[in-house]
Amino acid sequence: MNLIAYEPHFWELYRDDTHYYLSIAVDMSSVVSCWDLRISQDEIQGYEHRGHASIQELAKSLVASVYKGDFSQMERRAVKPYERQAMQAAFKTWQNSQKAD
């Protein structure tokens, strides 16, 4: 798994051999809620065709749903624990590579 795109303090996009994953931070003013999600094939194609902007739009729409009290999309997309661990390991690898530059 690799970190392939990010918006600082908002979201990170990861990719493994077959899937893409989105880690998103939702600022609820007093608490920041972090969600690790699997994204759909259509959303992957959107990213492949439109890049960063497509993920930015997806993240904003997910946050808007949460602000309305609708967590269903987040819950439906939630990753498995082993996927979350792989995302965290990829982030640490990326973070360490940034220090080396």
Side-chain angles (χ1 to χ4, degrees), residues 84-99:
R84 177 175 292 110
Q85 290 172 346
M87 293 167 74
Q88 291 170 347
F91 183 81
K92 286 185 189 286
T93 299
W94 172 82
Q95 193 174 40
N96 289 336
S97 75
Q98 298 302 301
K99 292 176 186 174

Side-chain angles (χ1 to χ4, degrees), residues 24-41:
I24 186 168
V26 181
D27 186 350
M28 304 294 284
S29 82
S30 62
V31 171
V32 174
S33 175
C34 296
W35 294 81
D36 295 323
L37 314 169
R38 184 182 289 187
I39 65 174
S40 73
Q41 194 61 41

Side-chain angles (χ1 to χ4, degrees), residues 5 11 13 43 45-56:
W11 57 261
L13 183 65
E43 292 158 346
Q45 289 177 346
Y47 174 71
E48 290 172 347
H49 290 101
R50 297 183 36 239
H52 192 96
S54 69
I55 301 301
Q56 188 76 6

Side-chain angles (χ1 to χ4, degrees), residues 1-39:
M1 175 134 5
N2 293 301
L3 174 64
I4 59 172
Y6 67 98
E7 184 69 32
H9 311 291
F10 186 27
W11 57 261
E12 299 149 9
L13 183 65
Y14 297 88
R15 178 180 172 196
D16 67 11
D17 294 333
T18 55
H19 299 101
Y20 285 67
Y21 304 90
L22 183 64
S23 183
I24 186 168
V26 181
D27 186 350
M28 304 294 284
S29 82
S30 62
V31 171
V32 174
S33 175
C34 296
W35 294 81
D36 295 323
L37 314 169
R38 184 182 289 187
I39 65 174

